[in-house]
Coordinates of all heavy atoms in Angstrom, one line a residue:
I203 N -0.6 7.7 -9.3 CA -1.9 8.1 -8.6 C -2.9 6.9 -8.6 O -3.8 6.9 -7.9 CB -2.5 9.3 -9.4 CG1 -3.0 9.0 -10.8 CG2 -1.5 10.5 -9.4 CD1 -3.9 10.1 -11.3
Y207 N -5.1 6.5 -5.0 CA -6.4 7.0 -4.9 C -7.5 6.0 -5.0 O -8.7 6.2 -5.3 CB -6.6 8.1 -6.0 CG -5.8 9.3 -5.7 CD1 -4.4 9.4 -6.0 CD2 -6.4 10.4 -5.0 CE1 -3.7 10.5 -5.6 CE2 -5.6 11.5 -4.6 CZ -4.3 11.5 -4.9 OH -3.5 12.6 -4.6
F213 N -4.9 11.3 1.1 CA -4.2 12.4 1.7 C -4.2 12.3 3.2 O -5.2 11.8 3.7 CB -4.8 13.7 1.3 CG -4.6 14.2 -0.1 CD1 -5.6 14.2 -1.1 CD2 -3.3 14.6 -0.5 CE1 -5.4 14.6 -2.4 CE2 -3.1 15.0 -1.8 CZ -4.1 15.0 -2.8
P215 N -5.0 13.5 6.8 CA -6.0 14.4 7.3 C -5.5 15.8 7.7 O -4.3 15.9 8.1 CB -6.6 13.7 8.6 CG -6.0 12.3 8.6 CD -4.8 12.3 7.7
I216 N -6.3 16.8 7.5 CA -5.8 18.2 7.8 C -6.9 19.1 8.3 O -8.1 18.8 8.0 CB -5.1 18.8 6.6 CG1 -4.3 20.1 7.0 CG2 -6.2 19.2 5.5 CD1 -3.3 20.5 5.9
V221 N -3.5 25.0 7.5 CA -3.1 25.6 6.2 C -2.9 27.1 6.4 O -1.8 27.6 6.1 CB -4.1 25.3 5.1 CG1 -3.6 26.0 3.8 CG2 -4.2 23.8 4.8
S222 N -3.9 27.8 6.9 CA -3.8 29.2 7.1 C -2.6 29.6 8.0 O -1.8 30.4 7.7 CB -5.0 29.7 7.8 OG -6.2 29.4 7.1
I238 N 14.5 44.8 8.4 CA 15.9 45.3 8.2 C 16.6 44.2 7.4 O 16.8 43.1 7.8 CB 16.6 45.4 9.6 CG1 15.8 46.4 10.5 CG2 18.0 45.9 9.4 CD1 16.4 46.5 11.9
S239 N 17.0 44.6 6.2 CA 17.7 43.7 5.2 C 19.1 44.3 5.0 O 19.4 45.5 5.3 CB 16.9 43.6 3.9 OG 15.6 43.0 4.2
S248 N 15.0 40.3 -15.5 CA 16.3 39.6 -15.8 C 17.5 40.3 -15.1 O 18.4 39.6 -14.6 CB 16.5 39.6 -17.3 OG 16.3 40.8 -17.9
G250 N 17.4 42.2 -12.2 CA 17.2 42.0 -10.8 C 17.5 40.6 -10.4 O 18.2 40.4 -9.3
K265 N 21.5 39.2 4.0 CA 20.0 39.1 3.9 C 19.5 39.9 2.7 O 19.5 41.1 2.7 CB 19.3 39.6 5.2 CG 19.7 38.8 6.4 CD 18.7 39.0 7.6 CE 18.5 40.4 8.0 NZ 17.7 40.6 9.2
W280 N 9.9 36.9 -20.1 CA 9.2 35.6 -20.4 C 9.1 35.4 -21.9 O 8.6 34.4 -22.4 CB 7.8 35.7 -19.8 CG 7.8 35.7 -18.3 CD1 7.5 36.7 -17.4 CD2 8.2 34.5 -17.5 NE1 7.7 36.2 -16.1 CE2 8.1 34.9 -16.1 CE3 8.6 33.3 -17.7 CZ2 8.4 34.1 -15.1 CZ3 9.0 32.4 -16.7 CH2 8.8 32.8 -15.4
A342 N 4.8 46.3 -4.0 CA 5.3 47.4 -4.7 C 6.2 48.3 -3.8 O 5.9 48.5 -2.7 CB 4.2 48.2 -5.3
S350 N 19.5 61.9 6.0 CA 20.6 62.8 5.9 C 21.7 62.4 6.9 O 21.3 62.1 8.1 CB 20.1 64.2 6.2 OG 19.2 64.6 5.2
D395 N 9.9 50.5 -19.0 CA 8.6 50.8 -19.5 C 7.5 50.3 -18.5 O 7.9 49.8 -17.4 CB 8.4 50.3 -20.9 CG 8.6 48.8 -20.9 OD1 8.8 48.2 -19.8 OD2 8.6 48.2 -21.9
N432 N 28.4 48.9 -18.5 CA 29.5 49.7 -18.0 C 28.9 50.9 -17.1 O 29.6 51.3 -16.2 CB 30.3 50.3 -19.1 CG 31.0 49.2 -19.9 OD1 31.3 48.2 -19.4 ND2 31.2 49.5 -21.2

Side-chain angles (χ1 to χ4, degrees):
I203 69 167
Y207 287 84
F213 285 111
I216 195 164
V221 175
S222 306
I238 300 175
S239 296
S248 47
K265 294 198 307 184
W280 290 111
S350 295
D395 57 6
N432 299 333

